[in-house]
């Protein structure tokens, strides 16, 4: 028997070596130097982010179809750091995103591009993060649309009624019409006209509808069936039926099921089992079985834990039927879903201390979810995750990266910080109690703003938007 | 959006990069102009192709090309000179554009989707698509876009699942660590086995081959995770039993139950294991399944007896969260008014599952109808002893005396064998199961003799447990317990971040070992030596104290226990204890209970009188760490009669102690020890006295009658 090693294993060892070298180095340092190393380099991060917003590096042109994403990643990161951008920059962002808005609803990856669900999600979240009347009402601003009209022939605009330009309800209806157009007979959503169908599309559609207060029974119809068909026997959720479970899709599918009030249909015990196994020796999470650690999963996988924390009632119930001997759910019945509770229109988690069998207002689920106290501790090694983010994913010159040896970018900055925030706040039982100092690795000044675990926008900004869109 | 290949910003590259960006911007604006004016000329198509080759993420251009294809196809239809070749060439161009886009970024959603769109309009040659896939899957064998596309092509072009299975074999042989291939394999195999496809029946033969394949991977690189995950899936396919089974009951089959009134006389002729004391006029009847079931009622379980004179029995799920699905169910038999000086045996026969309706939560029906019978002997009680008075129970060491059994006693601990259900038509497959697992055990022992591998140890431990569980009804002992306990002890050192998990598993094995046969269990049975206590009478105390338990288990074999000592362990939760319906005295002192919520299961123990939870950690932690093990009573809707309770608690604000309130209000404790917990101050104690009116002793002090 000769023990050869696979390439995957060699890569894994290389990453582990790099990570453990950092940890060993850290362990040998004197106390003062230690606390300096685990400090979040706020100023440098802010500088990196602010610069990025003002002038994007030319190499980012591959992201030209994803420009609202850049706005969201940067603005959300800045908001997590508790800072704001200058008014002028904010105005520019709002103007730019308005130009990405399609006259028939939804946002494209740039001016003149087709509306796309993912960029609609990014644009809406970015505008909520900017906040304020101008930004929030821009989701419905129509006059700006003409700025892009030099690309367009007039016929394209002929159906457009200028009288409705300032009508918020009409405009939000446009987003709604876009979402409806993306909805498939199967229940799932397409990313864009003639685009791909997957779990990502379901999440971005439902998240946007929920946060804009336009979610209704028609939009959620059969979405749950589609997500369920993507939960694999491993417990995680895949991008489309038949594929293997994946961290990003697991978060998307899981959050969607909560927002449509059907989360009890998922095998949560299996999901917990899968996601718990994705935290590796490095402290960070991997995205799939036997893949390398990557800081962005601090949010995608860590976020699933943040959601599970508030679902202990359903989790408890399901754990009764769980066989801990093999770690595999004992009730796998060839993909057949459990028959319970589909028509059961009660809230599946406790709502702010009220009676749990209340009638459901779909659009208040996201609000109530974050208002109720997390009564269960997060079930992953939070300290190890924070250590990985601060020591291994942080570029001391600003920005965060996937893993040691990689380069910083806005995507990893956004999702590392989002994951760090969830981890720091997972100790506090409710939003009014700040986390204890021992919940925050490094100096207490490392504490980030709280983010909404379903929408991933900073909580204060979320509340403002919630109030703003409160009208049905 | 994630995983974009991105170059490191080097100064010398910046100029080139800026020029490239400028070029792209130009392409974009040209493209948008064509797109918005619906121009599908050759030049316009060329611009969109160049744009996509440089930036495959530009999904608007993919849509434009779809429109262009539709446009050109319509044109060629109306053109009498066109033939199928021109259609082919239109669509071939699209495939080429996709290929060069994928070379730029093979994670582009838009590019893969465009290819699917083209293929669903017009079928390219199978070989061509498979060759393309081979190329991409060689470049990145874990790329999920490629795997998704592969499944799409396979279903579109009717490639058989057998061929696809062969492909995963090839991929695995090339690279053992490719978990995507293993996963696709498990999905394909599940389908093939389920429909018993040709060559895939019986499943035993197929699974044997799979074991061989995965062994190659595991033995080549035991540190790579992929094979182990597949092995776990295989083990699950090997041992899983879908249908729920009855595993034990109380009273046990063939037992003679002696029922005493509210007092009793010393009588050494009575077996203390079978003597039951009831003040309530009822006997609990408990059925214990191997998995949670629903549908237990008077039609699915019939009870033949003169004892239940009040018509139909009501079965209650023993569930801590109000669920109608539970592993353990209970009902109560009423015994008739006992006539003084008349002693009689009442036979009871219970038939389980002869009428369908008991279903596991995963939808499998209870399919092994079984029957058990016992006799109840009602001892008349003597009124003059009834008012004798209850005394405080002391857990002091010198009050216990090791139980010495009399061989003539019938002993309900053995009844498990009699309840064991033989399944004839599965005999050959159970033989295969046993052989397979024995084979695996031998292999992994060999592997571990050469290397120190934690996942190998964990797998071996699971295999040994599976082996013992399968043979335990026959061998009547856990032959591998020592080895498994040693493996978990090793793992606790080897993998300290997960030591709590291993400790829990070790506790379960230890309990299986203790309860595996009569001799070993009797070593833990004691007589409570406080002879003056008429309350306890003949009761036997099971003492599982000071054996490092972090989790309770094997409760199906302990349903007879009335007095239980679990002190000086590391228990954090009482999960499962709700099944012990006879329990009247429980010692949990010196454990790691951190909240009242952890005691939740005790609320279902209607006979519990004496409880010692002293020296735990209740109140020391602001956050409850046990909720994932044990549900909170507050997490479910419950009708709580606050108005009634307000009068009881008076000025004490029970909302401060709501957890304690919800636990204790349902119990009729006479004795409670709570000293040594952070919460147990004077204020809390006075609160307890008010909400538990039956309480006579608190922390060893006799309470003054109010």
């Amino acid at each position: 028997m000769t023990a050869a090693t696979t390439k995957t294993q060699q890569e894994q060892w290389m990453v582990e070596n790099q990570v453990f070298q950092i940890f060993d180095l850290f362990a040998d340092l004197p106390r003062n130097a230690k606390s300096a190393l685990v400090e979040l380099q706020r100023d440098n991060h802010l500088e990196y982010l602010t610069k990025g917003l003002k002038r994007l590096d030319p190499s980012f042109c591959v992201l030209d179809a994803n420009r609202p994403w850049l706005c969201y990643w940067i603005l959300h990161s800045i908001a997590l750091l508790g800072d704001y951008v200058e008014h002028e920059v904010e105005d520019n962002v709002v103007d730019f995103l308005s130009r990405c808005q399609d006259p028939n609803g939804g946002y494209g990856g740039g001016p003149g591009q087709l509306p796309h669900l993912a960029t609609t999600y990014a644009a809406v979240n970015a505008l909520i993060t900017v906040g304020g009347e101008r930004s929030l009402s821009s989701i419905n601003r129509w006059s700006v649309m003409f700025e892009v009209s030099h690309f367009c022939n007039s016929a394209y605009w002929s159906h457009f009624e200028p009288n409705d330009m300032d009508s918020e309800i009409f405009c939000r209806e446009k987003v709604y019409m876009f979402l409806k157009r993306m909805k498939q007979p199967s229940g799932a959503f397409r990313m864009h006209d003639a685009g791909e169908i997957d779990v990502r599309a379901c999440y971005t559609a439902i998240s946007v509808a929920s946060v804009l207060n336009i979610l209704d029974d028609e939009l959620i119809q059969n979405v749950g069936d589609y997500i369920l068909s993507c939960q694999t026997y491993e417990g995680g959720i895949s991008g489309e039926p038949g594929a293997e479970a994946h961290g990003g899709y697991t978060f998307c599918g899981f959050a969607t099921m909560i927002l449509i009030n059907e989360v009890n249909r998922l095998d949560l015990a299996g999901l917990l089992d899968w996601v718990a196994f994705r935290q590796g020796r490095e402290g960070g999470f991997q995205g799939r079985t036997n893949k390398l650690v990557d800081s962005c999963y601090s949010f995608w996988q860590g976020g699933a834990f943040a959601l599970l924390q508030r679902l202990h009632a359903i989790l408890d119930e399901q754990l009764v039927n769980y066989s801990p001997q093999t770690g595999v759910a004992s009730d796998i019945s060839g993909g057949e879903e459990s028959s319970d509770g589909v028509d059961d229109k009660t809230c599946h988690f406790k709502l702010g201390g009220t009676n749990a069998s209340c009638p459901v207002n779909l659009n208040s689920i996201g609000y109530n979810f974050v208002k109720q106290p997390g009564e269960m501790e997060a079930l992953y090694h939070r300290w190890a995750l924070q250590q990985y983010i601060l020591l291994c994913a942080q570029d001391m010159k600003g920005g965060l990266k996937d893993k040691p040896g990689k380069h910083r970018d806005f995507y990893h900055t956004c999702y590392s910080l989002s994951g760090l925030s969830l981890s720091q706040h997972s100790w506090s039982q409710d939003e009014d109690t700040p986390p204890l100092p021992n919940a925050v690795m490094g100096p207490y000044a490392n504490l980030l703003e709280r983010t909404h675990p379903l929408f991933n926008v900073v909580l204060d900004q979320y509340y403002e938007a919630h109030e703003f869109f409160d009208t049905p | 959006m994630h995983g974009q290949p991105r170059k490191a910003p080097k100064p010398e590259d910046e100029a080139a990069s800026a020029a490239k960006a400028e070029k792209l911007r130009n392409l974009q604006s040209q493209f948008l102009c064509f797109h918005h004016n619906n121009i599908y000329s050759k030049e316009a198509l060329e611009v969109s192709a160049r744009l996509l080759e440089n930036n495959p993420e530009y999904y608007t251009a993919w849509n434009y090309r779809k429109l262009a294809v539709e446009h050109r196809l319509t044109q060629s239809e109306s053109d009498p000179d066109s033939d199928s070749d021109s259609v082919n060439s239109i669509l071939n161009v699209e495939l080429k554009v996709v290929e060069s886009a994928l070379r730029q970024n093979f994670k582009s959603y838009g590019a893969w989707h465009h290819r699917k769109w083209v293929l669903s309009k017009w079928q390219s040659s199978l070989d061509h698509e498979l060759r393309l896939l081979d190329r991409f899957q060689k470049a990145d064998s874990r790329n999920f876009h490629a795997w998704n596309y592969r499944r799409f092509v396979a279903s579109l072009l009717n490639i058989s699942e057998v061929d696809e299975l062969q492909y995963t074999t090839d991929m695995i042989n090339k690279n053992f660590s490719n978990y995507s291939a293993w996963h696709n394999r498990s999905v394909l195999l599940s389908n093939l086995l389920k429909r018993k496809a040709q060559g895939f029946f019986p499943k035993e033969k197929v699974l044997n081959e799979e074991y061989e394949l995965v062994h190659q991977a595991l033995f080549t690189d035991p540190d790579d995770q992929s094979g182990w995950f597949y092995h776990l899936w295989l083990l699950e396919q090997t041992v899983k039993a879908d249908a729920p089974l009855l595993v034990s009951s109380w009273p046990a089959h063939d037992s003679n139950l002696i029922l005493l009134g509210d007092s009793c006389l010393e009588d050494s002729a009575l077996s203390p294991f079978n003597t039951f004391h009831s003040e309530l006029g009822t006997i609990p009847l408990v059925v214990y399944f191997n998995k949670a079931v629903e549908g237990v009622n008077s039609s699915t379980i019939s009870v033949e007896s003169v004892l239940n004179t009040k018509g139909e029995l009501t079965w209650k799920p023993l569930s801590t969260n109000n669920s109608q699905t539970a592993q353990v169910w209970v009902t109560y038999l009423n015994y008739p008014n006992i006539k003084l000086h008349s002693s009689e045996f009442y036979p009871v026969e219970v038939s389980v599952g002869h009428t369908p309706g008991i279903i596991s939560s995963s939808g499998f029906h209870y399919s092994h109808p079984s029957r058990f019978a016992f006799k109840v002997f009602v001892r008349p009680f003597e009124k003059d002893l009834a008012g004798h008075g209850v005394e405080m129970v002391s857990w002091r060491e010198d009050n216990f005396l090791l139980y010495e059994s009399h061989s003539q006693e019938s002993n309900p601990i053995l009844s498990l064998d009699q309840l064991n259900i033989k399944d004839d038509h599965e005999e050959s497959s159970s033989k295969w199961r046993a052989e397979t697992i024995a084979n695996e055990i031998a292999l992994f022992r060999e592997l571990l003799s050469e290397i120190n591998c934690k996942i190998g140890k964990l797998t071996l431990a699971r295999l040994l447990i599976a082996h013992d569980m399968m043979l335990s009804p026959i061998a009547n002992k856990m032959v591998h317990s020592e080895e498994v306990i040693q493996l978990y002890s090793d793992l606790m050192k080897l993998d300290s971040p997960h030591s709590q998990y291993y400790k829990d598993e070790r506790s379960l094995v230890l309990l299986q070992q203790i309860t595996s046969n009569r001799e070993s269990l009797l070593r833990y049975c004691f007589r409570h030596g406080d002879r003056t206590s008429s309350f306890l009478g003949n009761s036997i105390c099971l003492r599982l104290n000071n054996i490092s338990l972090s989790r309770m288990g094997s409760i199906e074999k302990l349903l007879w226990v009335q007095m239980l000592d679990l002190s000086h362990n590391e228990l954090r939760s009482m999960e499962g204890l709700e099944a012990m319906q006879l329990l009247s005295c429980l010692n949990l002192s010196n454990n790691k209970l951190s909240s009242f919520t952890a005691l939740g299961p005790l609320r279902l123990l209607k006979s519990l009188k004496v409880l010692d939870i002293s020296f735990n950690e209740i109140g020391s932690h602001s956050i409850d760490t046990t909720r994932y093990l044990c549900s909170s009573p507050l997490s479910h809707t419950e009708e709580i009669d606050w108005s009634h309770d307000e009068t009881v608690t008076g000025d004490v604000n029970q909302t401060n102690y709501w957890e304690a309130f919800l636990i204790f209000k349902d119990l009729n404790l006479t004795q409670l020890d709570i000293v040594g917990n952070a919460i147990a101050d004077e204020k809390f104690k006075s609160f307890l006295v008010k909400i538990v009116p039956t309480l006579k002793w608190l922390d060893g002090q006799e309470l003054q009658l109010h």
Side-chain angles (χ1 to χ4, degrees), chain B residues 193-222:
Chain B
L193 290 172
K194 199 172 172 188
R195 62 183 167 86
K196 297 181 177 167
Q198 200 189 353
F200 292 86
F201 184 80
K203 79 169 188 185
E204 287 81 5
K205 186 189 97 233
V206 182
L207 292 181
N208 279 343
E209 288 166 10
E210 293 305 304
Y211 275 111
E212 264 172 49
L213 179 70
V214 79
H215 291 154
Q216 291 174 36
L218 296 180
F219 279 69
T220 308
D221 179 6

Side-chain angles (χ1 to χ4, degrees), chain B residues 136-166:
Chain B
F136 284 114
Q137 293 192 300
K138 208 175 264 171
D140 178 4
S141 60
R142 297 293 310 270
N143 184 337
F144 67 81
H145 297 275
W147 281 100
N148 286 345
Y149 185 66
R150 183 162 199 104
R151 282 183 283 265
F152 167 81
V153 170
S155 89
L156 187 73
L157 304 181
N158 287 321
I159 302 173
S160 76
E161 283 178 321
V162 180
D163 288 347
E164 283 301 286
L165 194 69
Q166 182 57 44

Side-chain angles (χ1 to χ4, degrees), chain B residues 503-661:
Chain B
K503 198 181 265 182
D504 283 0
E505 294 298 297
R506 193 181 62 177
S507 297
L508 294 180
V509 177
L510 188 63
L511 286 165
Q512 281 167 5
Q513 187 184 34
I514 290 170
T515 59
S516 62
N517 62 57
R518 178 193 158 101
E519 289 70 32
S520 88
L521 188 54
L522 284 180
R523 283 199 286 275
Y524 296 86
C525 293
F526 289 77
R527 272 185 189 276
H528 192 256
D530 189 358
R531 297 283 160 160
T532 56
S533 165
S534 59
F535 170 41
L536 288 167
N538 284 314
S539 237
I540 287 289
C541 182
L542 179 68
R543 302 192 74 197
L544 300 172
N545 54 326
N546 212 359
I547 52 172
S548 303
L549 290 181
S550 64
R551 187 174 166 180
M552 218 16 219
S554 296
I555 288 168
E556 73 278 8
K557 297 179 184 172
L558 304 175
L559 300 180
W560 52 272
V561 176
Q562 300 177 41
M563 189 174 187
L564 179 62
D565 183 359
L566 290 170
S567 63
H568 297 275
N569 281 302
E570 297 164 33
L571 295 167
R572 291 156 193 272
S573 132
M574 286 299 103
E575 191 187 11
L577 232 69
E578 67 274 9
M580 299 175 81
Q581 287 293 304
L582 272 62
L583 206 57
S584 67
C585 303
L586 177 59
N587 187 354
L588 294 171
S589 67
N590 293 284
N591 274 287
K592 291 191 170 173
L593 299 169
S594 62
S595 73
F596 286 110
T597 311
L599 299 173
L602 304 187
R603 292 165 60 232
L604 299 168
L605 302 180
K606 299 298 174 207
S607 313
L608 195 63
K609 293 270 180 290
V610 176
L611 179 63
D612 187 345
I613 48 172
S614 58
F615 300 99
N616 274 281
E617 298 166 10
I618 300 171
S620 325
H621 307 282
S622 54
I623 295 176
D624 177 3
T625 55
T626 58
R627 284 185 197 267
Y628 66 99
L629 285 175
C630 161
S631 65
S632 155
L634 278 195
S635 58
H636 304 279
T637 48
E638 261 181 89
E639 290 305 316
I640 300 162
D641 192 355
W642 288 98
S643 57
H644 163 74
D645 291 310
E646 247 159 311
T647 59
V648 178
T649 53
D651 55 324
V652 182
N653 184 3
Q654 70 256 46
T655 53
N656 288 344
Y657 302 124
W658 50 264
E659 283 193 323
F661 175 77

Side-chain angles (χ1 to χ4, degrees), chain A residues 1-9 12-13 57-67 69 73 107-109 111-116 119 151-153 190 192-198 200 232-234 240-246 249 277-278 281 286 288-291 294 296-297 300 312-313 316-317 319-321 324-334 336 338 350 355-357 375-377 379 407-409 411-412 427 429 436, chain B residues 1-2 4 6 8-9 14 17-18 20-21 24-25 28-29 32-33 35-38 54-55 57-60 63 66 104 109-110 113 116-117 140 142-144 148 151 175-180 182-184 186-187 194 219-226 229 232-233 235-236 239-240 242 291-292 321 323 325-327 361-362 364 446-447 450 454 462 465 497 501 505 508 512 551 622-625 627-632 634-637:
Chain A
M1 184 168 58
T2 53
T5 56
T6 60
K7 191 160 163 268
T8 314
Q9 191 55 33
Q12 173 67 26
W13 280 337
D57 190 277
S59 67
F60 279 103
C61 57
V62 289
L63 288 173
D64 268 353
N66 282 320
R67 284 158 76 179
W69 275 115
W73 294 334
Y107 290 79
Q113 296 183 31
L114 275 178
H116 189 288
T119 44
F151 281 125
C152 314
N153 64 24
R190 271 190 199 284
H192 54 91
D193 277 322
E196 66 273 16
I197 299 169
D198 62 21
R200 219 168 31 125
T232 78
Y233 68 83
E234 303 159 284
E240 50 186 81
E244 86 188 85
H246 180 290
Y249 294 118
F277 268 99
R278 303 281 77 76
R281 285 152 51 88
Q286 60 182 190
R288 278 185 281 158
T289 305
N290 210 5
K291 294 273 280 183
D294 180 340
C296 74
Y297 293 108
W300 301 119
H312 64 89
D316 285 341
E317 209 159 299
L319 279 171
V320 171
N321 308 327
Q325 282 294 341
T326 58
V328 176
S330 58
D331 53 356
I332 297 167
S333 50
E336 280 165 50
S338 65
K350 214 175 105 207
N355 190 346
S357 60
E375 288 187 352
M376 180 172 73
E377 225 179 317
L379 302 174
H407 294 278
R408 63 185 179 178
D409 60 53
Y411 169 80
H412 284 93
W427 262 278
Q429 276 181 298
L436 297 170
Chain B
M1 66 202 194
H2 172 226
Q4 302 295 335
R6 194 165 303 138
E14 259 173 36
S17 177
K20 197 181 152 207
L24 256 178
R25 295 265 145 79
Q28 274 178 30
S29 52
L32 284 174
C33 193
H35 177 34
H36 293 142
N37 291 300
N38 306 326
N54 282 292
N55 183 9
E57 289 285 273
Y58 207 91
Y59 59 91
T60 307
N63 261 32
K66 292 187 184 77
Q104 168 74 24
Y109 283 92
H113 184 68
K116 284 185 186 173
W117 180 83
D140 178 4
R142 297 293 310 270
N143 184 337
F144 67 81
N148 286 345
R151 282 183 283 265
N175 179 4
F176 286 136
S177 70
N178 186 347
Y179 182 71
S180 298
W182 287 109
H183 176 262
N184 207 32
S186 62
V187 171
K194 199 172 172 188
F219 279 69
T220 308
D221 179 6
D223 286 318
D224 193 279
Q225 306 166 33
S226 293
F229 279 102
L232 190 62
W233 178 78
L235 181 60
E236 179 68 18
V239 300
K240 77 170 172 192
D242 297 329
K291 52 179 77 180
N321 57 16
S323 157
T325 305
Q327 219 181 325
S361 53
S362 45
F364 289 98
E446 186 194 328
L447 178 70
E450 295 186 20
K454 79 177 181 196
R462 285 169 170 170
I465 295 168
Y501 172 80
E505 294 298 297
L508 294 180
Q512 281 167 5
R551 187 174 166 180
S622 54
I623 295 176
D624 177 3
T625 55
R627 284 185 197 267
Y628 66 99
L629 285 175
C630 161
S631 65
S632 155
L634 278 195
S635 58
H636 304 279
T637 48

Side-chain angles (χ1 to χ4, degrees), chain A residues 205-274:
Chain A
I206 297 295
S207 172
V208 164
S210 176
V211 86
L212 295 182
N213 197 17
I214 52 174
L215 193 60
D216 64 9
D217 287 338
E218 219 168 319
L219 280 177
I220 70 168
Q221 196 173 21
N222 298 335
V223 171
D225 292 345
Y226 181 76
I227 306 276
L228 272 192
S229 72
C230 295
Q231 184 170 32
T232 78
Y233 68 83
E234 303 159 284
I237 299 171
S238 59
E240 50 186 81
E244 86 188 85
H246 180 290
Y249 294 118
T250 299
F251 175 83
C252 288
F254 188 15
T256 305
M257 289 301 264
I258 293 171
L259 288 172
I260 64 173
N261 196 35
E262 290 179 24
V263 70
N264 61 320
R265 298 176 68 195
L266 283 172
D267 171 10
L268 290 185
L271 194 147
L272 170 62
D273 192 59
W274 183 80

Side-chain angles (χ1 to χ4, degrees), chain A residues 56-230:
Chain A
L56 288 174
D57 190 277
S59 67
F60 279 103
C61 57
V62 289
L63 288 173
D64 268 353
N66 282 320
R67 284 158 76 179
W69 275 115
L70 281 174
C71 295
Y72 166 61
W73 294 334
I74 293 174
L75 288 169
H76 180 54
S77 299
I78 292 173
L80 284 168
L81 290 163
D83 211 332
Y84 305 93
V85 294
E86 296 157 32
H87 281 303
E88 193 193 332
V89 179
E90 282 188 355
D91 287 350
N92 287 345
V93 167
V94 173
D95 290 344
F96 171 73
L97 290 175
S98 301
R99 286 165 54 210
C100 298
Q101 191 161 221
D102 188 86
N104 289 317
Y107 290 79
Q113 296 183 31
L114 275 178
H116 189 288
L117 276 175
T119 44
T120 301
Y121 167 85
V124 167
N125 274 6
L127 289 165
I128 289 172
T129 304
V130 168
E133 174 77 21
R134 181 168 186 269
S135 171
L136 295 178
S137 59
S138 83
I139 298 179
N140 322 295
R141 278 171 72 102
W142 294 88
S143 51
V144 202
M145 298 309 301
F146 288 103
E147 290 179 21
V148 293
S149 58
H150 62 272
F151 281 125
C152 314
N153 64 24
S154 53
Y156 201 68
W157 299 94
S158 55
H159 62 277
F160 184 64
E161 303 275 340
N163 287 346
D164 290 323
M165 275 196 318
D166 297 322
S167 157
E168 189 196 305
I169 293 169
F170 168 74
C171 304
R172 237 189 306 167
E173 260 171 19
K174 287 286 185 182
V175 177
Y176 179 79
M177 294 311 283
F178 169 60
L179 296 180
K180 279 280 302 209
R181 205 165 79 235
M182 294 306 109
K183 190 161 175 71
Q184 299 306 299
S186 68
F189 287 85
R190 271 190 199 284
M191 271 300 185
H192 54 91
D193 277 322
E196 66 273 16
I197 299 169
D198 62 21
V199 170
R200 219 168 31 125
C202 296
Y203 169 66
T204 48
I206 297 295
S207 172
V208 164
S210 176
V211 86
L212 295 182
N213 197 17
I214 52 174
L215 193 60
D216 64 9
D217 287 338
E218 219 168 319
L219 280 177
I220 70 168
Q221 196 173 21
N222 298 335
V223 171
D225 292 345
Y226 181 76
I227 306 276
L228 272 192
S229 72
C230 295

